[in-house]
Amino acid sequence: IADPPVKPAKKTKEQYVFSFGKDVESPPLDRNLLGGKGNNLCEMSTIGIPVPPGFIITTRACNDYRGSGRQLPEGLREQAINALRTLEAQMGAKLGAPVNPLLVSVRSGARVSMPGMMDTVLNLGCNDLSVVGLAKATGNERLAYDSYRRFVMMYADVVMSVERRLFEKAFDKLKEAEGVEHDVDLSVDGLKKAVEVFKGIYKEELGEEFPQDPVEQMFGAVRAVFNSWDSERAKVYRRVNSIPDDWGTAVVVQSMVFGNKGDTSATGVGFTRNPISGEDSFYGEFLVNAQGEDVVAGIRTPLPINKKQAQETGRTGQPTLEEVMPEVYQQLIDTGKTLEKHYGDMQDLEFTIENGRLYMLQTRSGKRTGMAAVTIAADMLKEGAMSETAALKNVQPEQLSQLLAPVFDQKAKDAAKEKRAAKGFNAGPGAASGLLVLSTEKAVQWAAEGKKVVLVREETSPDDYPGMVVAQGVLTARGGSTSHAAVVARGMGKPCVVGCSSLHVDEEKGVVAAGGMSIKEGEAISIDGSTGEVFFCDLPTSPSEVVQVLVEKTRRPEDSLVYQRFASIMELADKYGTMQVRTNADTPADAKAARAFGAQGIGLCRTEHMFMDPTRLADVRRMFFSTDAASRTEAISRLKKYQKADFAAIFEAMDGLPVTVRLLDPPLHEFIPHSEEELRELSGVLGTSFEELKATREGLLEANPMLGHRGCRLGITIPELTEMQVSAILEAAIECEAKGIKVAVEIKVPLVTTHRELEHQASLIRRTATRVFEETGKTVKYKVGTMIEQPRAALTAEMMAKHAEFFSFGTNDLTQTTFGISRDDAAKFLTPYLEGVPDPESPSELMSILSADPFQKLDQEGVGELMRIAVEKGRRTRPGLKIGICGEHGGEPSSVLFCQSIGLDYVSCSPYRVPLARLAAAQASL
Amino acid sequence: IADPPVKPAKKTKEQYVFSFGKDVESPPLDRNLLGGKGNNLCEMSTIGIPVPPGFIITTRACNDYRGSGRQLPEGLREQAINALRTLEAQMGAKLGAPVNPLLVSVRSGARVSMPGMMDTVLNLGCNDLSVVGLAKATGNERLAYDSYRRFVMMYADVVMSVERRLFEKAFDKLKEAEGVEHDVDLSVDGLKKAVEVFKGIYKEELGEEFPQDPVEQMFGAVRAVFNSWDSERAKVYRRVNSIPDDWGTAVVVQSMVFGNKGDTSATGVGFTRNPISGEDSFYGEFLVNAQGEDVVAGIRTPLPINKKQAQETGRTGQPTLEEVMPEVYQQLIDTGKTLEKHYGDMQDLEFTIENGRLYMLQTRSGKRTGMAAVTIAADMLKEGAMSETAALKNVQPEQLSQLLAPVFDQKAKDAAKEKRAAKGFNAGPGAASGLLVLSTEKAVQWAAEGKKVVLVREETSPDDYPGMVVAQGVLTARGGSTSHAAVVARGMGKPCVVGCSSLHVDEEKGVVAAGGMSIKEGEAISIDGSTGEVFFCDLPTSPSEVVQVLVEKTRRPEDSLVYQRFASIMELADKYGTMQVRTNADTPADAKAARAFGAQGIGLCRTEHMFMDPTRLADVRRMFFSTDAASRTEAISRLKKYQKADFAAIFEAMDGLPVTVRLLDPPLHEFIPHSEEELRELSGVLGTSFEELKATREGLLEANPMLGHRGCRLGITIPELTEMQVSAILEAAIECEAKGIKVAVEIKVPLVTTHRELEHQASLIRRTATRVFEETGKTVKYKVGTMIEQPRAALTAEMMAKHAEFFSFGTNDLTQTTFGISRDDAAKFLTPYLEGVPDPESPSELMSILSADPFQKLDQEGVGELMRIAVEKGRRTRPGLKIGICGEHGGEPSSVLFCQSIGLDYVSCSPYRVPLARLAAAQASL
Ligand SMILES: [Mg+2]
Ligand SMILES: [Mg+2]
């Protein structure tokens, strides 16, 4: 028997405050306690980087404050004042003193950067006396009063929640009175007046004088930071980003340094490498004699930081830091390298130069383009500055798509500015240029004539698939990023812009108008799927270098630096990834491209597009709708021949890699013509009366086709269909193997709801296989499995696994039914759900209902829960059951991570997302 | 520490065979071992009822046989022969002996009666020698050879699987040769020839002589019974009925008794009480000098068993058993009473009288109508012949609906035989007569003029609701028992026939045709929703007595015996039931009816029908589609007034009982007109251009409206809607309370998918409540809860429960999404799924994919699993959370049982199903 637990000793006095800076020992690094910002400042200080000294009030102080009815916790006040004294001693200046005053900034700093919380109060310590001392100490009266008026406004706004607008209005009046336009042109007297007016507003609004006691100012700001943790905006942000309420925020109090003390002072921002291209060259901007605010506010145009950059951006005439302050510039470059090495990543820096002395105010990993991400990771890996796993983590999978998309030449885009007609959502990255077509028929027809077309539709439907296949790109006036056009285009790696609401599409007249311009069908149009821009003119595009090397094979690997860097990251991905990546491919071309991108098999080969092929459609319709048995049998046998050839070509492309074929899925009515004219034609072909055919069509129309007569429901009610498809698959496999091509085919049954459906189809497949093997005298190995894409299938997976040799999650359908949301109809409410609707509690705030589009990002709580259940139950019946995912989500990084976490064997995605999925899978394995 | 388990002693020799009959001691009753039939024979024998003696081969013998590659288990043969010797000794006759032979029957007998298994071989023991002995012993050569030829055919058919057709053909030839029509007219020589011909067929088909050895015959039959357990038909039956494979079947070998030995012999069947009315009077039929087969075969018309029955069925001239054999008749009555008392239920009997001696061949609980079920249970309870719980279990809940439905007079139906035009599915029990109308508009118009109408449609849609409300009954040519018409009609307790495929509806011409007749709109039509019959004429109907007493109050309880019996069962139900029963009611009339039927509250008050009311529709449309803010506000305030009145009336009807109101659910497009004409009219009303309105309508159309912009998605995107409804509800409640009416209102949010939706709506409801309470200066208690009708809501119930004070399962929608099946489109595949599709393993057999329609019977494996998850997770967050069900399933007995098993607090169903649900809930509690 263990001893009873000992009562904890009386809590030792909590240390709420930690100093940092050159002359004090920094606390042990602890992002959770010190916040991200504070932690990095301590870290920089420790490794000898010059940072303005200061102190940090911990997240624990914040939580104790919040937990005690907004009382500063015991000891905090005393510790903070002690830390302030230490800081004053370091700086040789006293906070807000009449002579040589110290000013400080007060900032919030949670574990992660959190917009929606109080950010910064600058120039704290200004008061009626210290402003005079500041003017004297800096020899700059303008600086002093400008600092004071800024401080009054910031304090009133940020700490006391007075409306900022009141100050801005008053300031505008003062400028008007002097007849000046810009803030910087206001006279010192004007600034002095501003201070008085601002203090007046403060009193008017709050009923008390502006606080003159610097320590009171400081604790006011500290309390404001603490309180901002519980502001509505911060709460919403946390909820959306799943940040726990009990993290709390730290407060950073740091001595001000002034970049506006004269010509040897400056302020700037920069990246240790080029964040656009990834090139190893410092990239940044700066302003002489300015405060940080000024760079951001865009009042003065910042200057390029070095000569290289000045050249590249066509600003060769402008002074650069490299030229103006060569020593400080070199110190900045060295500091950047030190930080880059320390953090093992390209850094985004903020710095201030005060009287020729460099101070770093902030460092963090820099944001970058996809191109830059790959370049930096590959280069730093080569340099030994990054470990393999760090390099892998350093590229966001989504960024890879930028390396694969075709591109417009930026110069050509700039030159065509006048022809920029509209902007929509950038739904499928890449650039496309071609002739405007407004219908799928015309798209197919013109493409057959060798013309490049861009398909523009009010909105696309499944009927438009053939048009999308042949088009260079797709543009729709309606629909969001979950629309049919967007999803299908992304799947095909096709540039796509959707929801371009200013676009007016008049299909009848064959005209498209926007931005006061209009063009006719057949005229040139260009769309940039990476930016959403639409141009009413032709713009030259080219495939990305990676595609040129891998898919088109028009460029040699050794001639493409981009490809080589891409390849080095992909190599790493395959070294670390444990989950396989397959592709969704319906054609040999898709299969080849995917294989070039590293797919380890086909996870989903849909057969419906094979059916929709115009040369076969007549036979497809004969099979489904003909009442003449002989004609029907003939049609089926012709279709089998077609399908056999399709499958053989795919098997050949995948030689030996597994190919999962899904049996026919869409509802019958998709195969019957919509127009009366076509119906009449079909009536002639089938020898069925027009009226009868029309009645057939009416009979096939469904109230909710997504939940209708489709998937295995077809294969069960029309067993000939399954038989035909299975024969075609297996005969193709047998013929391929005879030619020495290895075949590993898996047949999967779509839209299974009850295990009896699967039992039926599996039995029919096996019986058909036996027949084919008897007829041909040969056999081939094959597997039978099922899609799991209905909630019920997941819930009864233990029974499904009795008949299935593998599972494949169809998360598109599964999301639709789990949510009860049709993807086709969702935009009307999903858009406000994502963007936020007025919060009933405070209608001026937006409340978001969903944090992500569940059709893009797998919903782990709901859909994911069903997947977990299915994996667990399925493998209980059949240990080691092979399970994959083949919905759109298979190519979305967070979803890939989830798939790994629940033990899937593979993800499958569209060919152009294979590299991305490989990277995501590797990251999931780390 | 417990002792290690002792090894079981070597198995003692298994007893596979048990004898029964007057002179032997019956085995202990054990239905599992002896089978249902065998067990009852032993039981009758034990309590002194005369049964022909025999023996039983146990189910264990069957299983050991099946487990050892179809070898008779060791000891069985020996034990069976010993039992046969015992039987021979009892009977003083030897099986198949040349002199005074014993004949036996061999039957299968599983735990439960199982059609699809081998049933019976009679006259076993007949051979070339014994037939002569039998003729001598009975003095009836005809009997002997008739027995033999029957036996050869039965043995060949049932035991050896020779096609029965072959024998029937041959027998027909023999009759032809003699020029006779009926079997009984064939001469003795003809029968002798038949025996020879049959034996010839036997040899021809099987390549061996018909077995002459009686013991070989017996074991042949025993093996056949064993094998029949694994026949395809039996397997299918077991699968469909969830009967385990390892139950096995017993075999009953019983000495034959002959009802065809002359005028003091007879055979018959009977019920101990009238199975139609339930009256306590023996009810049956018999034939003098006949075998059991003859009663069934309909070759001779059986006679009424007693004078009462002869009178009642207009057969007063015919001899009755009561008159022909008064003593045996009395013995039969006494035996019936004994058995009834023993089993505590009305019995269905088979008996044979051999030379004036009565033998009981079978007894089992008798099938009965709903009327009889209630009468018998109520009477036997009163008599003390049934316990309270037995009486409760004795009525099947579904049977109660027969007591509530209006009825046609049977005589009137018989008389109108010529006008019987068609037969469809009996989708809503009850009788309806009225003028034929083919559109909802006309139905509403004619009903307003005081005409009774029957609405006939090709198929109904939600638009037809107003027409269905005013019609006496509904008939559709399309749709199954899950169609819109069927579901809505049942919900309203309205007679309904659907899927009447021979019906031709020509709405344009205003004509309906079927069965070679046709009628025009405005002519009389009658439908019987209990049988599916359609008459092209008027037939008189009347409401059931129960409805007359409870709802219409046109009859006093003391004047209706039917009502009194019904009431006594209902009283019992409420005594034993632990789960509450509420009702789905949208109008005060519904609420009153449901309360009369014993509803303990409203579980679902839908508000959409209130919106569809023609007098309000203009305002509803203004609210949704008007662009003029003032007109919109006015419309909303008028609607609020209407809704307030609706709710007040419902609160008044339910005075004090809980009322759960569901906020508006259906998609917006249901509120916009479909026809151009109406659209033009609306355009005038709203002052919006026709084109704009048309565009609005196009914009509202959805690909899959079931998964579209509806439910709380409306309340979130149009918060004014929720505010208006909540104000109306709460203001009505406050006004009612001021009048002394007690109100317990619960507001529920429909179609919630994520907890954030619920959080939004709950917050909006509470905020609106606060406003109403401030405005009125009064408060009222209310609860906020949610529908659980999306898989995701169930899966995340722990989060839902944070915002919900109660859950209500909407199993209609939940079934649709869990199955991925739209109820509106399901018929095309659900019908074959239920009826069976060709089994790929053996295409001549049917394989059923679903054993029940999941929209009628709750799917416990899938939908039920989600419910279990939701109950568990919901109560984990909020212990004691109140949970109910309000889908169609709430009134379906097996679903009610399931709801009790997972711990629901209540079920809610349509008013006319409340009694049924009360009974089901009581049974679930037992
Ligand atoms: Mg799917
Ligand atoms: Mg619902």
Side-chain angles (χ1 to χ4, degrees), chain B residues 588-606:
Chain B
D590 280 356
K592 272 182 206 146
R595 200 165 179 171
F597 284 133
Q600 292 161 293
I602 291 180
L604 172 64
C605 174
R606 284 168 292 237

Side-chain angles (χ1 to χ4, degrees), chain B residues 678-746:
Chain B
E678 279 181 289
L679 207 59
R680 251 176 235 291
E681 203 183 304
L682 181 60
S683 147
V685 171
L686 298 188
T688 313
S689 82
F690 173 74
E691 276 67 33
E692 203 174 319
L693 261 190
K694 208 173 153 188
T696 302
R697 187 179 62 185
E698 299 303 311
L700 290 177
L701 289 182
E702 300 187 302
N704 299 283
M706 197 63 79
L707 307 177
H709 195 183
R710 52 176 287 232
C712 72
R713 297 163 194 172
L714 287 180
I716 292 171
T717 52
I718 312 175
E720 299 90 329
L721 179 61
T722 298
E723 282 168 345
M724 184 277 281
Q725 291 206 291
V726 173
S727 311
I729 292 165
L730 295 177
E731 289 177 17
I734 286 170
E735 288 176 16
C736 280
E737 295 220 325
K739 285 194 269 178
I741 297 158
K742 278 190 201 145
V743 179
V745 65
E746 306 177 333

Side-chain angles (χ1 to χ4, degrees), chain B residues 604 608 662 665 706 710-711 750-751 787-790 809-814 816 886-887:
Chain B
L604 172 64
E608 36 271 36
R662 181 179 73 185
D665 187 41
M706 197 63 79
R710 52 176 287 232
L751 214 78
M787 297 284 288
I788 300 282
E789 53 183 341
Q790 304 268 37
F809 285 110
T811 46
N812 296 351
D813 268 307
L814 191 58
Q816 293 200 102
C886 67

Side-chain angles (χ1 to χ4, degrees), chain B residues 20 126 157 160 181 186 199 306 363 388-389 402 448 543 607 611 613 650 683 728 918:
Chain B
F20 64 88
C126 277
D157 167 20
M160 305 305 288
E181 197 185 339
L186 199 68
K199 288 196 294 179
N306 52 27
T363 187
E388 289 187 343
T389 54
Q402 293 173 30
T607 53
F611 274 68
D613 185 303
I650 288 173
S683 147
R918 282 162 72 197

